[in-house]
Amino acid sequence: MAVTGKFAVICNQMIMRKPGVFGAPVAGQRVCFNAWKLKDRKGRIEIKAVAHVEVGTKSTTDQGSWNLKGLEGNLGVDLVSEEELRKKGFMGLRKTKLVCTIGPACCSLEELEKLALEGMNVARLNMCHNTREWHLDVIRKIKKLNEKGYCVAVMIDTEGSQIHVVDHGAPSSVKAQDGSIWHFTTEKFEGSRPLTVQASHEGFSEGIEIGDEVVIDGGMATFEVIEKIGNDLRCKCTDSGLLLPRAKLSFWRDEKLVGRNYELPTLSGKDWSDIEFGVSEGVDFIAVSFVKDAKAIRHLKSYLSAKSTKSARVLAKIECVESLHKLEEIVEASDGIMIARGDLGVEIPLEQIPSMQEKIIEVCRQLNKPAIVASQLLESMIQYPTPTRAEVADISEAVRQYADALMLSGESAIGSYGQKALSVLRTTSSRMESWSREENMQANLNQSKSDQIAEQICNCVAEMANNLGLDAIFVFTRHGQMATLLSRNRPNPPIFAFTSDSSTRMALSLQWGVTPLLVDLSGDTEANTEKSINLMKTKELIKEGDTVLVVSDIIPSSATQTLFQSIQVKTVV
């Protein structure tokens, strides 16, 4: 078999190392390299690794053939992926992940299961709303669903230290009429006062002048400051609209955001309390609001690492100008990114949102971190059963840009048509994925050069899978690294990540194109492959004639090296 393309470069680089370190390629169906140390042309030791590449088909008569009989175990594939795979096959499996915000409209066990059946991969809990007891109840219901065979990860989203509405005189949203006069105050009072807004930060009016604009939630309603009374503001509504509970306040002067002299911490005291709660309940993701730099992310990750052996993944929310100035360092420090377009659209011109979204997704792909596109994807479906055509186009564009996940906020949390909204996300993303595949529109990934074998192998695996038209990619992984590297390349076939670590399985719930499966893995790659194929055949998720590419980073039980990768192309017989 001729070895060409990127993989040939790797092979040639290996052969050119110190004589005796590597074996020569074997003619025919197998290409093998084994080494304890890799050296560059100057003799510097770079990586301890073994790469094993095997291309071929094994039948029951081959030496070392698959023996699919007598293998026992449980294939931890979630019910939804299993059903989708059985109905649509490998290429019909949806790759873009779906995140749903849980709220009063969908918090019952029955409603949560409907969302899970519709494709919800991650349940988001917004810590701005509801009580600790309510959040605890939802988390335990999600765990019950997972016990039934679903795979839904749990994310908590911190409130963040921003100025927002504490109370506005009504238990839910209230309409601000054009020309009405409102009082914005930090005074603490019981009950409610009509036409009165209680702000969360005592210094909220600092630096604000008469004539400045007060914008609610990025434009839901707008007021003009007509009088300052001590620390309070008297304002006239100039654009009527809704004031929602916990709505965010921003101040504008001459069409520019008013700079503030005070600095609020990224994580407030309430946020740390919520994080403690999340850790105690074993949540899978913690989304940090209004991240300005990487310092807060690093601090939180260090805290989580010391607090628990199963650390939750930390996601940074990009929703302020400061975060854009330090985007790469924030992405590098975090475990993933949420593009919070609603708040981001308050701080930068609206026309910049599409290009900025694409830039953030591209940076995330370069640095191998999942990106969630959030805010107003299907805003109209909070009230109406059918989305606007512009909303469908917006979703399609996010999928075309290869966002890892799409998120519903109010659509699922308080909307009347949450399940329908999720169905729109699922069907639109699946159709766009199919169209991109058919038109061969996969964007060229401009990667930086790397000498790490694992990364180069995954690049080659994606190219091989596409060029050979394979049905699926199987990756056996302890910590999910090779699965994320494969996901970054956006291959056409679906990626099935077999892991024995439940935390890794949940972490991969956000990764594009990856279906995580929980199985018991050994140090024997061949045994892991046989066992997994057998379990997939038992569930009728794979059939004779399917061709899969098998990748593994499991350390073999017979070796002492710290890293091991292998590639095998197999046809099921």
Side-chain angles (χ1 to χ4, degrees), residues 7 14 26 30 50 76 82 125 134 138-139 176 192 235 250 264 284 321 361-362 367 378 385 508 525 545:
F7 194 65
M14 287 181 169
V26 179
R30 183 183 297 252
V50 171
E82 179 179 335
L125 298 176
W134 185 90
V138 171
I139 291 173
S192 62
C235 303
S250 59
L264 297 173
D284 304 291
V321 171
I361 293 172
E362 181 64 19
L367 296 176
L378 290 167
L508 293 174
T525 302

Side-chain angles (χ1 to χ4, degrees), residues 15 27 76 79 135 153 157 226 248 253 290 303 320 348 365 371 409 417 430 457 465 475-476 484 506 508 512 537 556:
I15 295 170
L79 294 175
H135 290 297
D157 194 330
I226 59 176
K248 296 180 180 65
R253 182 182 304 148
F290 298 100
Y303 169 81
C320 59
I348 66 174
R365 286 187 63 194
S409 297
Y417 305 97
S430 294
I457 284 180
V475 55
F476 298 93
T484 65
M506 289 301 182
L508 293 174
W512 186 97
K537 288 184 70 176

